[in-house]
């Protein structure tokens, strides 16, 4: 219908609000709504572009029961902070433990494949694609700091975590795959959930 869609981030705790910056794929955080932080696994505030972290907020509006440095469980990638405008990309909902199936029919979750934090400093995006059990395609957007040694480290980590029951293929891309509605999924799987009830 040639209608431009506008994506908005928010949650029921009313701590953080942001929307797509016009003409970009970045989310711009509204500073008057709440105090926002993006933190790494050690709880340190992220200020370097291309690093994924957890979204943390402190309310400005709930005076009776304020939430201070509330960890939302949502994740995003730091893009930039220019002219009092904090920009994020690849906002992801709470880690939902989507299943990645191994070659013996068992599975691990996407949470189990979390990489060491230093890897996230050299990639600008990551996504998993699974079409066949026992095989996984990993889409990676590289930064200028990415080296062949990082690919080796990623493959070693995945091999160790999957007990060599998963064939990993890394493909380098410029953009990650989004749903028709613009939503980003960490894992895009074509494998039917084996735990679904049958009629």
């Amino acid at each position: 219908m040639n209608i431009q869609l506008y994506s908005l981030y928010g949650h029921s705790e009313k701590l953080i609000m942001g929307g797509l910056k016009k003409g970009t794929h970045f989310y711009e955080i509204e500073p008057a709504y709440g105090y926002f932080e993006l933190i790494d696994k050690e709880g340190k505030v992220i200020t370097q572009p291309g690093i994924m972290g957890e979204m943390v907020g402190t309310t400005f509006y709930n005076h009776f029961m304020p939430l201070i440095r509330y960890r939302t469980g949502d994740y995003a990638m730091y893009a930039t902070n220019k002219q009092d405008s904090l920009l994020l990309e690849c906002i992801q909902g709470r880690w939902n433990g989507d299943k990645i199936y191994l070659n013996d029919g068992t599975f691990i979750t996407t949470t189990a494949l979390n990489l060491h934090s230093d890897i996230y400093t050299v990639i600008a995006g990551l996504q998993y694609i699974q079409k066949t059990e026992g095989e996984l395609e990993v889409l990676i957007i590289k930064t200028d700091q990415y080296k062949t040694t990082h690919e080796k480290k990623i493959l070693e980590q995945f091999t160790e975590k999957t007990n060599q029951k998963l064939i990993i293929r890394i493909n380098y891309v410029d953009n990650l795959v989004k749903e028709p509605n613009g939503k980003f999924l960490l894992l895009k799987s074509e494998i039917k959930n084996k735990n679904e009830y049958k009629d």
Side-chain angles (χ1 to χ4, degrees):
M1 297 175 64
N2 293 324
I3 298 173
Q4 184 176 358
L5 298 179
Y6 182 80
S7 181
L8 183 72
Y9 171 83
H11 48 86
S12 59
E13 293 86 2
K14 295 181 172 61
L15 302 168
I16 306 167
M17 184 174 67
L20 283 179
K21 188 175 178 64
K22 187 175 181 179
T24 76
H25 64 281
F26 298 125
Y27 285 83
E28 185 171 20
I29 299 301
E30 173 52 61
Y33 190 78
Y35 185 75
F36 173 81
E37 298 170 279
L38 191 69
I39 64 170
D40 62 19
K41 292 180 180 179
E42 285 74 42
K44 297 178 181 177
V45 176
I46 294 170
T47 58
Q48 295 292 324
I51 299 179
M52 187 74 76
E54 185 176 3
M55 302 174 72
V56 175
T58 298
T59 182
F60 287 162
Y61 289 102
N62 190 343
H63 302 292
F64 298 101
M65 197 170 188
L67 295 173
I68 300 172
R69 296 205 78 201
Y70 178 82
R71 298 180 65 163
T72 64
D74 293 338
Y75 289 76
M77 186 175 294
Y78 187 94
T80 185
N81 190 0
K82 294 181 179 178
Q83 299 178 343
D84 297 324
S85 179
L86 176 61
L87 302 180
L88 305 174
E89 57 183 326
C90 295
I91 292 181
Q92 302 173 8
R94 292 167 172 83
W95 295 114
N96 58 7
D98 288 331
K99 297 178 179 68
I100 296 173
Y101 289 93
L102 308 180
N103 60 17
D104 61 356
T106 61
F107 66 85
I108 60 172
T109 65
T110 52
T111 307
L113 286 185
N114 286 346
L115 296 166
H116 296 164
S117 58
D118 61 322
I119 294 293
Y120 293 109
T121 65
V122 296
I123 62 175
L126 178 139
Q127 187 175 37
Y128 305 116
I129 310 287
Q130 186 167 43
K131 299 179 180 178
T132 306
E133 288 187 16
E135 299 180 16
L136 185 70
E137 180 182 5
V138 182
L139 305 183
I140 292 178
I141 301 176
K142 298 187 291 186
T143 67
D144 294 337
Q145 292 75 39
Y146 190 92
K147 311 286 187 201
T148 53
T149 53
H150 293 114
E151 178 178 307
K152 182 180 178 183
K153 188 181 291 187
I154 291 171
L155 290 172
E156 287 174 352
Q157 288 185 41
F158 284 165
T159 300
E160 179 183 349
K161 292 180 179 184
T162 61
N163 200 20
Q164 299 184 347
K165 295 180 180 179
L166 192 65
I167 297 172
I168 306 288
R169 290 190 308 276
I170 295 178
N171 286 327
Y172 298 104
V173 296
D174 294 325
N175 296 288
L176 302 178
V177 181
K178 292 185 179 180
E179 299 298 287
N181 63 2
K183 182 178 181 180
F184 171 80
L185 298 177
L186 179 62
L187 169 67
K188 287 181 62 66
S189 178
E190 296 181 9
I191 300 176
K192 186 176 180 180
N193 188 342
K194 295 186 175 185
N195 294 323
E196 288 180 346
Y197 292 105
K198 295 181 180 179
D199 296 331

